[in-house]
Amino acid sequence: MKSISSRLLRQSGFYALGNIALKASGLALAVLYLNPNYLSVEEFGYFGLMIATTQFGLYAVGLGLSVGLMKLMADPDYEAEREALPFTALVTTLGSAAVALVALWLIARPLAGLMLGDPARDGLIHLMTLYLIAKVIGAIPLMLLRVEERAGWYVMAMIAEVVVLLGAVYVLMVMKGMGLTGLMGAHALAAGTSTTALIVAMLIRMPWRFERRLIRLLIRFGLPLLIASLASWFLNAGDRYLLLWLADAATVGLYEWAARLAGTLNLLVVQSFNLAFSVIGLKTLGEGDRDGQVHRQTLRHFVIWTGWAVLGLSLLAYDLTLLLPADLTYLQADTLVLFLALGFMNYGVYYVIINVVYAAGRTKAVSINVFGAAVLNAVLNVILIPFLGAFGAALATFLAYLALGIGAAYFARQDVPLRFPWGVYVVVVGIVGVLYALGVPGLDWSVPARLGARAGLILAYPPLIMLTGLYSRDDARLVWSSIRGWMKR
């Protein structure tokens, strides 16, 4: 367990460093796209819709090939095919991307009318398409780096894309005043540059060995996950479309900013953790951890530490927004961040549990689970948004992700007789909720008084974890020892 923890902590740390660079760029960009001189709240809402559409396309066009690549290359039963898998997956993805490029180019005008309210804005759809194609193709070399546990190279690729993005946004939005067109064009340019470099590096060091028969294996594992991926996309982004339908573009813009604040937790904690654990977890199950104790212990630590991050982010969200030259509308995001952040924590819980189902190859169960959670999310959004607006969408997200984790546990126990620590989860959410509620009355205080009081509430979290018995002194010493070891390395 110690070596597994060390690998997980080390690689999660690398991925977190890359994600810190992404969030730092996001903060720098927020200074521009929240500023009404460069982008209105409505235009920011449209930008959020285009990014959400790109995420949908990433799953639909990618055909689950990158996930199939991860599964097959981590599976000892396919060791003989490992040399041919990366190039085969890349060529197949290029073919799928070419078809999608032509199709989206042809329907750009009607899609612009549907999404942006004006068919004449089809140029934005063209830029969105280029961004999508670059991301789809780049997913293969990035997955290869993950499977090989080359976290450092993965992070360097992320940072390179961030650098190009920041420069392009400044030139196109600020210097040339191109607004939403400049923002979308910068994303397409950055993704295209990064993907080109990744493909070249991959082709230099990997054998150009194409095996047609492997396409069926890759798709057989990945394609059933397409439904799950699309349903997962709806959980992440579908509420933007429902908000546009049931409210307006400005509400979408407000919700998008709240989601980006909560997304700090998703990127720095949940995704960084998952990038490492999804591979390591599969390997531990394949190497003999049939009772899933690694997953159980990992989940306990994840919930406790992520709960602290949820609390801190939720209590500081208002003042983080206040620092920016933002439209005053965005200050209302403060009330949404807690439930969105808890939703992302639930997503992390799901990642740990569903790893057991992935290892068993039961992709149909994954699809059923995610599809059910997506339907629940849609129903809750339709019910809650007319009465609660953007807050209703945030509450629906939290409940849907919770259902996703519970469903994953149901399917996982069919393969591994494992009891997940749900009691720890309930106590952590209770502590977070109480401490957050104590900080709400200070919203109209002076900045120093509010920050001082909320900092005290954040610091009260670890003692409460110890007092409730969720962590023992031995647990605390083990975690501290692992952190110090990682810092020394």
Side-chain angles (χ1 to χ4, degrees):
M1 177 67 184
K2 186 175 181 181
S3 62
I4 297 297
S5 299
S6 177
R7 285 164 62 198
L8 184 58
L9 184 60
R10 182 177 69 253
Q11 292 182 41
S12 294
F14 271 119
Y15 290 130
L17 288 175
N19 286 336
I20 286 171
L22 285 181
K23 289 315 289 185
S25 71
L27 183 60
L29 290 174
V31 175
L32 301 178
Y33 56 55
L34 296 189
N35 191 325
N37 293 324
Y38 301 119
L39 206 66
S40 68
V41 179
E42 290 80 6
E43 291 286 271
F44 184 55
Y46 288 133
F47 172 68
L49 286 171
M50 284 191 288
I51 293 298
T53 305
T54 300
Q55 292 168 350
F56 170 84
L58 185 59
Y59 294 126
V61 180
L63 300 177
L65 291 167
S66 62
V67 180
L69 180 63
M70 177 183 71
K71 163 64 177 173
L72 295 181
M73 289 199 70
D75 193 331
D77 292 340
Y78 295 96
E79 186 172 0
E81 285 82 14
R82 282 179 185 168
E83 279 195 355
L85 279 167
F87 189 71
T88 303
L90 176 62
V91 172
T92 308
T93 301
L94 286 171
S96 177
V99 173
L101 176 64
V102 174
L104 287 171
W105 216 267
L106 292 175
I107 64 169
R109 285 187 66 83
L111 190 57
L114 184 64
M115 282 180 53
L116 309 175
D118 185 359
R121 306 190 78 180
D122 58 337
L124 285 169
I125 302 299
H126 292 153
L127 292 173
M128 181 192 75
T129 300
L130 294 175
Y131 177 60
L132 163 64
I133 297 304
K135 284 296 187 182
V136 167
I137 298 171
I140 298 300
L142 285 174
M143 180 59 77
L144 184 60
L145 291 175
R146 285 179 57 192
V147 171
E148 295 174 338
E149 298 190 33
R150 294 173 178 261
W153 286 102
Y154 186 101
V155 169
M156 288 179 63
M158 293 171 64
I159 293 175
E161 183 172 342
V162 164
V163 171
V164 176
L165 177 62
L166 288 173
V169 168
Y170 183 78
V171 171
L172 297 177
M173 277 191 69
V174 178
M175 296 180 64
K176 294 189 175 295
M178 295 175 65
L180 182 56
T181 300
L183 183 57
M184 205 66 229
H187 277 74
L189 177 62
T193 303
S194 173
T195 294
T196 301
L198 284 166
I199 295 299
V200 170
M202 176 180 169
L203 293 177
I204 288 174
R205 67 186 186 87
M206 297 298 298
W208 294 25
R209 183 179 158 196
F210 179 79
E211 295 283 352
R212 219 166 107 184
R213 63 185 179 81
L214 293 180
I215 297 176
R216 183 174 58 84
L217 290 175
L218 287 164
I219 293 180
R220 187 174 67 186
F221 183 84
L223 194 57
L225 292 175
L226 180 58
I227 296 175
S229 298
L230 295 178
S232 177
W233 162 82
F234 186 83
L235 280 171
N236 281 301
D239 39 21
R240 275 78 161 174
Y241 297 93
L242 291 172
L243 280 168
L244 182 65
W245 173 44
L246 297 170
D248 51 40
T251 305
V252 178
L254 169 64
Y255 187 83
E256 180 69 20
W257 174 238
R260 284 174 179 258
L261 282 172
T264 303
L265 175 86
N266 184 40
L267 199 60
L268 300 187
V269 180
V270 177
Q271 295 299 329
S272 299
F273 166 80
N274 178 57
L275 286 169
F277 185 76
S278 59
V279 174
I280 293 175
L282 285 174
K283 290 181 178 179
T284 58
L285 290 168
E287 292 167 359
D289 183 31
R290 294 302 179 185
D291 59 357
Q293 287 305 306
V294 169
H295 288 68
R296 186 180 191 281
Q297 290 301 318
T298 298
L299 185 60
R300 184 169 71 93
H301 292 297
F302 172 82
V303 168
I304 290 171
W305 286 93
T306 307
W308 196 11
V310 168
L311 176 66
L313 180 63
S314 302
L315 288 175
L316 297 177
Y318 183 87
D319 289 285
L320 287 172
T321 306
L322 202 60
L323 286 172
L324 302 171
D327 190 294
L328 294 178
T329 301
Y330 292 111
L331 290 175
Q332 301 172 41
D334 174 69
T335 59
L336 311 178
V337 172
L338 174 66
F339 284 98
L340 288 173
L342 284 172
F344 283 127
M345 185 178 85
N346 292 343
Y347 203 23
V349 169
Y350 163 78
Y351 276 139
V352 176
I353 300 174
I354 207 65
N355 194 258
V356 176
V357 185
Y358 276 128
R362 296 203 300 126
T363 54
K364 183 178 179 181
V366 177
S367 299
I368 292 172
N369 183 42
V370 181
F371 184 76
V375 171
L376 175 63
N377 188 38
V379 172
L380 289 173
N381 270 292
V382 171
I383 293 173
L384 296 175
I385 288 175
F387 299 100
L388 301 175
F391 180 77
L395 181 58
T397 296
F398 164 72
L399 293 174
Y401 276 130
L402 178 59
L404 185 69
I406 293 172
Y410 168 77
F411 286 112
R413 291 198 65 185
Q414 295 178 6
D415 298 300
V416 176
L418 177 61
R419 294 184 62 188
F420 292 101
W422 290 110
V424 174
Y425 173 87
V426 171
V427 174
V428 166
V429 171
I431 292 173
V432 170
V434 169
L435 292 176
Y436 178 80
L438 291 174
V440 170
L443 196 62
D444 57 352
W445 296 357
S446 66
V447 173
R450 180 172 58 250
L451 286 177
R454 292 189 168 190
L457 291 171
I458 294 170
L459 293 175
Y461 179 89
L464 287 174
I465 291 296
M466 300 295 290
L467 287 173
T468 53
L470 297 187
Y471 252 19
S472 65
R473 291 182 180 179
D474 289 339
D475 288 324
R477 279 195 293 265
L478 178 62
V479 171
W480 178 240
S481 176
S482 298
I483 292 174
R484 287 180 62 187
W486 173 76
M487 293 176 68
K488 287 178 180 178
R489 283 189 297 271

